[in-house]
Amino acid sequence: MDNPFKITEGGVEYSLGKFNGKSVLYDFDKILIYLDAKGKLLFGEKFKIYDEDKDILLKLCNYFICDKENCKKNGIDPDKGILLSGPVGCGKTTLMKLLRHIVPVQRSYEMIPCRNVIFSFNHLGFKTIEDYGNTKFFCFDDLGIEPPGRFYGKDLNVMGEVLLSRYELYLQSKHRIKTHATTNLNAEELEERYGNRVRSRMRELFNLIAFDEGAGDKRK
């Protein structure tokens, strides 16, 4: 791809910034125009970028375009993944599905509902944990509200085990193997759900970016 900051969708070319001969200087307003257009293509004409989400979007965009200066200002580590938290219906899943498109040259991640991981474990057992402990990039959607896993009568906190596997992988890989997730739970609730050990690993795996607790349900 000659111009990674230019993306064509539906026959229209969107420029996300300009090239100064060394690097791309991204323009947040232009990124928003592209995200609005791409969002409508992916999710339908009712999709819109909400003004109250722009702060979150700016942080996420800085992360995805690897703007090191702005990431540093916001305490974001570009080597870690994103844990996007917020109330039900605030748009976490939509944003994580959408934002991977602004950097088509970067390695993308697969969106996986956590409940699907549990269903897989209930059928296949521990092979599931191996399957998700591989070198693919994943975004685990709706972390913390998945049902418990059970295989041959044994209960297991499956997503906790998957996160521990992903953490080991993250430590071993020179090119950091990224794990992202969305959750409705806060830090205390996550610790209650997965225990202190997993929670401390999550701090090393993820940058926490949180919607305001009062963020409205956009699905209504």
Side-chain angles (χ1 to χ4, degrees):
M1 186 171 290
D2 295 332
N3 295 317
F5 59 96
K6 289 186 177 179
I7 303 175
T8 302
E9 297 285 356
V12 179
E13 185 179 81
Y14 295 90
S15 174
L16 308 188
K18 58 188 179 187
F19 189 62
N20 68 358
K22 289 182 181 175
S23 58
V24 178
L25 304 173
Y26 282 95
D27 181 324
F28 184 55
D29 290 330
K30 288 181 176 177
I31 292 176
L32 289 180
I33 291 167
Y34 168 71
L35 288 175
D36 186 63
K38 184 67 175 175
K40 284 178 168 59
L41 285 172
L42 288 174
F43 309 114
E45 282 300 314
K46 287 186 176 176
F47 174 84
K48 63 181 274 194
I49 300 282
Y50 291 83
D51 283 343
E52 64 264 31
D53 294 345
K54 284 186 180 171
D55 283 349
I56 288 259
L57 267 168
L58 181 57
K59 285 181 187 173
L60 288 168
C61 286
N62 285 332
Y63 170 82
F64 280 106
I65 64 175
C66 295
D67 183 329
K68 288 181 180 168
E69 194 178 322
N70 279 309
C71 280
K72 195 173 180 183
K73 274 184 201 168
N74 288 295
I76 293 169
D77 182 344
D79 283 335
K80 294 183 181 182
I82 293 288
L83 176 62
L84 188 58
S85 77
V88 173
C90 67
K92 302 179 295 293
T93 304
T94 299
L95 289 186
M96 289 306 283
K97 283 180 175 173
L98 180 60
L99 277 153
R100 56 187 170 176
H101 294 284
I102 65 173
V103 278
V105 292
Q106 275 184 29
R107 186 175 171 189
S108 191
Y109 49 86
E110 201 177 328
M111 294 288 296
I112 306 285
C114 288
R115 59 199 297 264
N116 290 13
V117 180
I118 310 307
F119 294 151
S120 173
F121 175 82
N122 292 349
H123 288 291
L124 302 171
F126 287 88
K127 181 181 182 300
T128 298
I129 292 164
E130 287 173 28
D131 288 347
Y132 288 108
N134 65 23
T135 54
K136 280 186 180 177
F137 287 14
F138 292 112
C139 179
F140 295 110
D141 197 25
D142 272 341
L143 182 68
I145 57 168
E146 71 277 359
R150 171 167 278 210
F151 187 68
Y152 281 108
K154 283 190 176 177
D155 288 344
L156 186 75
N157 192 329
V158 177
M159 284 311 304
E161 292 299 322
V162 168
L163 290 173
L164 290 174
S165 291
R166 300 291 301 174
Y167 172 73
E168 291 302 323
L169 198 65
Y170 172 77
L171 288 185
Q172 291 162 15
S173 59
K174 285 179 189 168
H175 308 289
R176 296 293 196 196
I177 302 294
K178 286 187 181 171
T179 307
H180 307 295
T182 71
T183 185
N184 303 333
L185 306 186
N186 61 31
E188 291 77 25
E189 290 166 328
L190 285 167
E191 186 159 330
E192 200 176 304
R193 182 80 171 77
Y194 296 111
N196 180 265
R197 181 169 169 242
V198 173
R199 175 75 188 115
S200 74
R201 301 292 186 270
M202 287 173 77
R203 287 191 192 98
E204 294 181 60
L205 263 184
F206 297 122
N207 295 287
L208 176 62
I209 296 181
F211 278 86
D212 189 80
E213 283 179 19
D217 187 341
K218 298 180 175 76
R219 297 180 295 196
K220 286 181 178 175

